[in-house]
Structures are given as C-alpha cells and as structure tokens.
PDB file of all heavy atoms in Angstrom:
ATOM      1  N   PRO P   1     -28.703 126.452-146.628  1.00 98.00           N
ATOM      2  CA  PRO P   1     -30.144 126.538-146.869  1.00 98.00           C
ATOM      3  C   PRO P   1     -30.725 125.253-147.458  1.00 98.00           C
ATOM      4  O   PRO P   1     -30.077 124.540-148.219  1.00 98.00           O
ATOM      5  CB  PRO P   1     -30.273 127.685-147.878  1.00 98.00           C
ATOM      6  CG  PRO P   1     -29.026 128.480-147.724  1.00 98.00           C
ATOM      7  CD  PRO P   1     -27.958 127.495-147.335  1.00 98.00           C
ATOM      8  N   VAL P   2     -31.965 124.986-147.092  1.00 98.00           N
ATOM      9  CA  VAL P   2     -32.728 123.865-147.655  1.00 98.00           C
ATOM     10  C   VAL P   2     -33.271 124.317-149.004  1.00 98.00           C
ATOM     11  O   VAL P   2     -33.819 125.420-149.120  1.00 98.00           O
ATOM     12  CB  VAL P   2     -33.894 123.469-146.713  1.00 98.00           C
ATOM     13  CG1 VAL P   2     -34.797 122.445-147.379  1.00 98.00           C
ATOM     14  CG2 VAL P   2     -33.348 122.945-145.395  1.00 98.00           C
ATOM     15  N   GLU P   3     -33.109 123.457-149.998  1.00 97.00           N
ATOM     16  CA  GLU P   3     -33.623 123.771-151.330  1.00 97.00           C
ATOM     17  C   GLU P   3     -34.610 122.728-151.828  1.00 97.00           C
ATOM     18  O   GLU P   3     -35.469 123.024-152.654  1.00 97.00           O
ATOM     19  CB  GLU P   3     -32.460 123.915-152.312  1.00 97.00           C
ATOM     20  CG  GLU P   3     -31.559 125.097-151.977  1.00 97.00           C
ATOM     21  CD  GLU P   3     -30.327 125.193-152.842  1.00 97.00           C
ATOM     22  OE1 GLU P   3     -30.135 124.350-153.756  1.00 97.00           O
ATOM     23  OE2 GLU P   3     -29.524 126.119-152.601  1.00 97.00           O
ATOM     24  N   ASP P   4     -34.504 121.496-151.326  1.00 97.00           N
ATOM     25  CA  ASP P   4     -35.346 120.395-151.789  1.00 97.00           C
ATOM     26  C   ASP P   4     -36.313 120.001-150.673  1.00 97.00           C
ATOM     27  O   ASP P   4     -35.889 119.613-149.585  1.00 97.00           O
ATOM     28  CB  ASP P   4     -34.461 119.206-152.176  1.00 97.00           C
ATOM     29  CG  ASP P   4     -35.235 118.023-152.718  1.00 97.00           C
ATOM     30  OD1 ASP P   4     -36.489 118.075-152.786  1.00 97.00           O
ATOM     31  OD2 ASP P   4     -34.593 117.014-153.062  1.00 97.00           O
ATOM     32  N   PHE P   5     -37.604 120.082-150.945  1.00 98.00           N
ATOM     33  CA  PHE P   5     -38.633 119.783-149.943  1.00 98.00           C
ATOM     34  C   PHE P   5     -39.292 118.432-150.203  1.00 98.00           C
ATOM     35  O   PHE P   5     -40.426 118.204-149.813  1.00 98.00           O
ATOM     36  CB  PHE P   5     -39.685 120.904-149.931  1.00 98.00           C
ATOM     37  CG  PHE P   5     -39.150 122.179-149.342  1.00 98.00           C
ATOM     38  CD1 PHE P   5     -38.392 123.053-150.109  1.00 98.00           C
ATOM     39  CD2 PHE P   5     -39.368 122.479-148.015  1.00 98.00           C
ATOM     40  CE1 PHE P   5     -37.863 124.214-149.565  1.00 98.00           C
ATOM     41  CE2 PHE P   5     -38.849 123.640-147.460  1.00 98.00           C
ATOM     42  CZ  PHE P   5     -38.103 124.513-148.237  1.00 98.00           C
ATOM     43  N   GLY P   6     -38.559 117.534-150.828  1.00 97.00           N
ATOM     44  CA  GLY P   6     -39.088 116.226-151.197  1.00 97.00           C
ATOM     45  C   GLY P   6     -39.185 115.250-150.034  1.00 97.00           C
ATOM     46  O   GLY P   6     -39.041 115.613-148.858  1.00 97.00           O
ATOM     47  N   PRO P   7     -39.404 113.979-150.359  1.00 98.00           N
ATOM     48  CA  PRO P   7     -39.625 112.947-149.337  1.00 98.00           C
ATOM     49  C   PRO P   7     -38.433 112.734-148.401  1.00 98.00           C
ATOM     50  O   PRO P   7     -38.633 112.402-147.227  1.00 98.00           O
ATOM     51  CB  PRO P   7     -39.934 111.679-150.132  1.00 98.00           C
ATOM     52  CG  PRO P   7     -39.741 112.008-151.561  1.00 98.00           C
ATOM     53  CD  PRO P   7     -39.573 113.479-151.706  1.00 98.00           C
ATOM     54  N   ASP P   8     -37.207 112.946-148.877  1.00 98.00           N
ATOM     55  CA  ASP P   8     -36.045 112.788-147.996  1.00 98.00           C
ATOM     56  C   ASP P   8     -36.096 113.805-146.859  1.00 98.00           C
ATOM     57  O   ASP P   8     -35.829 113.478-145.702  1.00 98.00           O
ATOM     58  CB  ASP P   8     -34.731 112.932-148.766  1.00 98.00           C
ATOM     59  CG  ASP P   8     -34.470 111.760-149.710  1.00 98.00           C
ATOM     60  OD1 ASP P   8     -35.117 110.695-149.549  1.00 98.00           O
ATOM     61  OD2 ASP P   8     -33.622 111.915-150.608  1.00 98.00           O
ATOM     62  N   LEU P   9     -36.455 115.051-147.186  1.00 98.00           N
ATOM     63  CA  LEU P   9     -36.558 116.083-146.156  1.00 98.00           C
ATOM     64  C   LEU P   9     -37.687 115.753-145.182  1.00 98.00           C
ATOM     65  O   LEU P   9     -37.530 115.913-143.972  1.00 98.00           O
ATOM     66  CB  LEU P   9     -36.797 117.461-146.780  1.00 98.00           C
ATOM     67  CG  LEU P   9     -36.906 118.596-145.758  1.00 98.00           C
ATOM     68  CD1 LEU P   9     -35.548 118.847-145.093  1.00 98.00           C
ATOM     69  CD2 LEU P   9     -37.427 119.869-146.408  1.00 98.00           C
ATOM     70  N   GLN P  10     -38.806 115.269-145.698  1.00 98.00           N
ATOM     71  CA  GLN P  10     -39.939 114.938-144.825  1.00 98.00           C
ATOM     72  C   GLN P  10     -39.555 113.840-143.826  1.00 98.00           C
ATOM     73  O   GLN P  10     -39.941 113.887-142.654  1.00 98.00           O
ATOM     74  CB  GLN P  10     -41.160 114.527-145.655  1.00 98.00           C
ATOM     75  CG  GLN P  10     -41.635 115.597-146.630  1.00 98.00           C
ATOM     76  CD  GLN P  10     -41.855 116.960-145.986  1.00 98.00           C
ATOM     77  OE1 GLN P  10     -42.505 117.065-144.951  1.00 98.00           O
ATOM     78  NE2 GLN P  10     -41.319 118.008-146.595  1.00 98.00           N
ATOM     79  N   LYS P  11     -38.769 112.872-144.268  1.00 98.00           N
ATOM     80  CA  LYS P  11     -38.315 111.811-143.368  1.00 98.00           C
ATOM     81  C   LYS P  11     -37.377 112.380-142.297  1.00 98.00           C
ATOM     82  O   LYS P  11     -37.472 112.027-141.123  1.00 98.00           O
ATOM     83  CB  LYS P  11     -37.626 110.693-144.133  1.00 98.00           C
ATOM     84  CG  LYS P  11     -37.145 109.574-143.204  1.00 98.00           C
ATOM     85  CD  LYS P  11     -36.599 108.396-143.935  1.00 98.00           C
ATOM     86  CE  LYS P  11     -36.112 107.279-143.045  1.00 98.00           C
ATOM     87  NZ  LYS P  11     -36.061 107.471-141.622  1.00 98.00           N
ATOM     88  N   ILE P  12     -36.470 113.259-142.716  1.00 98.00           N
ATOM     89  CA  ILE P  12     -35.559 113.891-141.751  1.00 98.00           C
ATOM     90  C   ILE P  12     -36.368 114.631-140.685  1.00 98.00           C
ATOM     91  O   ILE P  12     -36.097 114.512-139.487  1.00 98.00           O
ATOM     92  CB  ILE P  12     -34.582 114.854-142.462  1.00 98.00           C
ATOM     93  CG1 ILE P  12     -33.565 114.069-143.292  1.00 98.00           C
ATOM     94  CG2 ILE P  12     -33.871 115.756-141.449  1.00 98.00           C
ATOM     95  CD1 ILE P  12     -32.733 114.933-144.239  1.00 98.00           C
ATOM     96  N   ILE P  13     -37.364 115.398-141.108  1.00 98.00           N
ATOM     97  CA  ILE P  13     -38.189 116.157-140.163  1.00 98.00           C
ATOM     98  C   ILE P  13     -38.889 115.216-139.194  1.00 98.00           C
ATOM     99  O   ILE P  13     -38.874 115.434-137.974  1.00 98.00           O
ATOM    100  CB  ILE P  13     -39.197 117.054-140.916  1.00 98.00           C
ATOM    101  CG1 ILE P  13     -38.451 118.161-141.670  1.00 98.00           C
ATOM    102  CG2 ILE P  13     -40.239 117.633-139.953  1.00 98.00           C
ATOM    103  CD1 ILE P  13     -39.307 118.918-142.678  1.00 98.00           C
ATOM    104  N   ASP P  14     -39.507 114.151-139.699  1.00 98.00           N
ATOM    105  CA  ASP P  14     -40.191 113.184-138.827  1.00 98.00           C
ATOM    106  C   ASP P  14     -39.216 112.549-137.846  1.00 98.00           C
ATOM    107  O   ASP P  14     -39.524 112.389-136.657  1.00 98.00           O
ATOM    108  CB  ASP P  14     -40.881 112.102-139.660  1.00 98.00           C
ATOM    109  CG  ASP P  14     -42.078 112.637-140.443  1.00 98.00           C
ATOM    110  OD1 ASP P  14     -42.626 113.704-140.070  1.00 98.00           O
ATOM    111  OD2 ASP P  14     -42.468 111.985-141.438  1.00 98.00           O
ATOM    112  N   ASP P  15     -38.030 112.179-138.333  1.00 98.00           N
ATOM    113  CA  ASP P  15     -37.014 111.575-137.458  1.00 98.00           C
ATOM    114  C   ASP P  15     -36.536 112.574-136.401  1.00 98.00           C
ATOM    115  O   ASP P  15     -36.273 112.199-135.254  1.00 98.00           O
ATOM    116  CB  ASP P  15     -35.817 111.074-138.275  1.00 98.00           C
ATOM    117  CG  ASP P  15     -36.151 109.867-139.143  1.00 98.00           C
ATOM    118  OD1 ASP P  15     -37.230 109.256-138.949  1.00 98.00           O
ATOM    119  OD2 ASP P  15     -35.337 109.530-140.021  1.00 98.00           O
ATOM    120  N   MET P  16     -36.431 113.843-136.783  1.00 98.00           N
ATOM    121  CA  MET P  16     -36.010 114.855-135.812  1.00 98.00           C
ATOM    122  C   MET P  16     -37.058 115.033-134.713  1.00 98.00           C
ATOM    123  O   MET P  16     -36.712 115.133-133.538  1.00 98.00           O
ATOM    124  CB  MET P  16     -35.724 116.185-136.513  1.00 98.00           C
ATOM    125  CG  MET P  16     -34.410 116.181-137.288  1.00 98.00           C
ATOM    126  SD  MET P  16     -34.098 117.724-138.181  1.00 98.00           S
ATOM    127  CE  MET P  16     -34.025 118.904-136.831  1.00 98.00           C
ATOM    128  N   TYR P  17     -38.338 115.057-135.084  1.00 97.00           N
ATOM    129  CA  TYR P  17     -39.382 115.143-134.055  1.00 97.00           C
ATOM    130  C   TYR P  17     -39.311 113.937-133.114  1.00 97.00           C
ATOM    131  O   TYR P  17     -39.369 114.086-131.899  1.00 97.00           O
ATOM    132  CB  TYR P  17     -40.779 115.223-134.677  1.00 97.00           C
ATOM    133  CG  TYR P  17     -41.214 116.620-135.040  1.00 97.00           C
ATOM    134  CD1 TYR P  17     -41.509 116.949-136.357  1.00 97.00           C
ATOM    135  CD2 TYR P  17     -41.350 117.611-134.074  1.00 97.00           C
ATOM    136  CE1 TYR P  17     -41.924 118.224-136.702  1.00 97.00           C
ATOM    137  CE2 TYR P  17     -41.758 118.893-134.405  1.00 97.00           C
ATOM    138  CZ  TYR P  17     -42.045 119.192-135.717  1.00 97.00           C
ATOM    139  OH  TYR P  17     -42.446 120.459-136.049  1.00 97.00           O
ATOM    140  N   GLU P  18     -39.184 112.752-133.697  1.00 97.00           N
ATOM    141  CA  GLU P  18     -39.115 111.548-132.862  1.00 97.00           C
ATOM    142  C   GLU P  18     -37.916 111.607-131.912  1.00 97.00           C
ATOM    143  O   GLU P  18     -38.025 111.285-130.725  1.00 97.00           O
ATOM    144  CB  GLU P  18     -39.033 110.291-133.733  1.00 97.00           C
ATOM    145  CG  GLU P  18     -39.039 109.021-132.911  1.00 97.00           C
ATOM    146  CD  GLU P  18     -39.079 107.752-133.742  1.00 97.00           C
ATOM    147  OE1 GLU P  18     -39.083 107.821-134.990  1.00 97.00           O
ATOM    148  OE2 GLU P  18     -39.095 106.667-133.126  1.00 97.00           O
ATOM    149  N   THR P  19     -36.780 112.044-132.412  1.00 98.00           N
ATOM    150  CA  THR P  19     -35.564 112.159-131.592  1.00 98.00           C
ATOM    151  C   THR P  19     -35.746 113.203-130.497  1.00 98.00           C
ATOM    152  O   THR P  19     -35.381 112.976-129.335  1.00 98.00           O
ATOM    153  CB  THR P  19     -34.359 112.517-132.490  1.00 98.00           C
ATOM    154  OG1 THR P  19     -34.222 111.508-133.500  1.00 98.00           O
ATOM    155  CG2 THR P  19     -33.079 112.619-131.686  1.00 98.00           C
ATOM    156  N   MET P  20     -36.336 114.340-130.846  1.00 97.00           N
ATOM    157  CA  MET P  20     -36.561 115.405-129.870  1.00 97.00           C
ATOM    158  C   MET P  20     -37.473 114.922-128.738  1.00 97.00           C
ATOM    159  O   MET P  20     -37.164 115.106-127.558  1.00 97.00           O
ATOM    160  CB  MET P  20     -37.182 116.629-130.555  1.00 97.00           C
ATOM    161  CG  MET P  20     -37.480 117.785-129.610  1.00 97.00           C
ATOM    162  SD  MET P  20     -38.416 119.111-130.408  1.00 97.00           S
ATOM    163  CE  MET P  20     -40.040 118.348-130.557  1.00 97.00           C
ATOM    164  N   TYR P  21     -38.592 114.282-129.079  1.00 96.00           N
ATOM    165  CA  TYR P  21     -39.518 113.800-128.053  1.00 96.00           C
ATOM    166  C   TYR P  21     -38.882 112.701-127.205  1.00 96.00           C
ATOM    167  O   TYR P  21     -39.031 112.684-125.985  1.00 96.00           O
ATOM    168  CB  TYR P  21     -40.816 113.292-128.677  1.00 96.00           C
ATOM    169  CG  TYR P  21     -41.695 114.384-129.247  1.00 96.00           C
ATOM    170  CD1 TYR P  21     -42.152 114.322-130.552  1.00 96.00           C
ATOM    171  CD2 TYR P  21     -42.069 115.479-128.476  1.00 96.00           C
ATOM    172  CE1 TYR P  21     -42.954 115.318-131.081  1.00 96.00           C
ATOM    173  CE2 TYR P  21     -42.879 116.483-128.989  1.00 96.00           C
ATOM    174  CZ  TYR P  21     -43.318 116.396-130.299  1.00 96.00           C
ATOM    175  OH  TYR P  21     -44.116 117.390-130.809  1.00 96.00           O
ATOM    176  N   ASP P  22     -38.144 111.798-127.841  1.00 96.00           N
ATOM    177  CA  ASP P  22     -37.493 110.712-127.104  1.00 96.00           C
ATOM    178  C   ASP P  22     -36.475 111.249-126.110  1.00 96.00           C
ATOM    179  O   ASP P  22     -36.270 110.675-125.045  1.00 96.00           O
ATOM    180  CB  ASP P  22     -36.813 109.749-128.092  1.00 96.00           C
ATOM    181  CG  ASP P  22     -36.223 108.540-127.394  1.00 96.00           C
ATOM    182  OD1 ASP P  22     -37.001 107.686-126.929  1.00 96.00           O
ATOM    183  OD2 ASP P  22     -34.975 108.479-127.294  1.00 96.00           O
ATOM    184  N   SER P  23     -35.863 112.386-126.444  1.00 96.00           N
ATOM    185  CA  SER P  23     -34.838 112.993-125.593  1.00 96.00           C
ATOM    186  C   SER P  23     -35.412 114.027-124.620  1.00 96.00           C
ATOM    187  O   SER P  23     -34.669 114.669-123.887  1.00 96.00           O
ATOM    188  CB  SER P  23     -33.770 113.666-126.464  1.00 96.00           C
ATOM    189  OG  SER P  23     -33.198 112.729-127.337  1.00 96.00           O
ATOM    190  N   HIS P  24     -36.723 114.207-124.661  1.00 94.00           N
ATOM    191  CA  HIS P  24     -37.423 115.159-123.778  1.00 94.00           C
ATOM    192  C   HIS P  24     -36.958 116.597-124.006  1.00 94.00           C
ATOM    193  O   HIS P  24     -36.813 117.365-123.063  1.00 94.00           O
ATOM    194  CB  HIS P  24     -37.290 114.762-122.308  1.00 94.00           C
ATOM    195  CG  HIS P  24     -37.690 113.355-122.040  1.00 94.00           C
ATOM    196  ND1 HIS P  24     -39.004 112.935-122.075  1.00 94.00           N
ATOM    197  CD2 HIS P  24     -36.949 112.254-121.798  1.00 94.00           C
ATOM    198  CE1 HIS P  24     -39.060 111.638-121.843  1.00 94.00           C
ATOM    199  NE2 HIS P  24     -37.828 111.191-121.681  1.00 94.00           N
ATOM    200  N   GLY P  25     -36.741 116.937-125.272  1.00 94.00           N
ATOM    201  CA  GLY P  25     -36.323 118.290-125.619  1.00 94.00           C
ATOM    202  C   GLY P  25     -37.494 119.134-126.085  1.00 94.00           C
ATOM    203  O   GLY P  25     -38.562 118.608-126.423  1.00 94.00           O
ATOM    204  N   ALA P  26     -37.289 120.436-126.122  1.00 95.00           N
ATOM    205  CA  ALA P  26     -38.306 121.372-126.621  1.00 95.00           C
ATOM    206  C   ALA P  26     -38.008 121.782-128.057  1.00 95.00           C
ATOM    207  O   ALA P  26     -38.865 122.323-128.746  1.00 95.00           O
ATOM    208  CB  ALA P  26     -38.347 122.612-125.735  1.00 95.00           C
ATOM    209  N   GLY P  27     -36.787 121.539-128.502  1.00 97.00           N
ATOM    210  CA  GLY P  27     -36.391 121.885-129.856  1.00 97.00           C
ATOM    211  C   GLY P  27     -35.167 121.081-130.269  1.00 97.00           C
ATOM    212  O   GLY P  27     -34.439 120.563-129.417  1.00 97.00           O
TER     213      GLY P  27
END
C-alpha cells in the first residue's frame, strides 16, 4: 500500500503517465 502522498509519489505518477502514453498503452 501507498502511505506517503508527497512529491516523490507525484513524480512517479507523472513519469508513469508519460511512460504509458509513450508506449501507447491504456493503463
């Protein structure tokens, strides 16, 4: 489970979106 919603998590989320779009994925 995620417990910390700080800036490190926000960067991970942004990087995951960028990776998903670059790979033409839906999730």
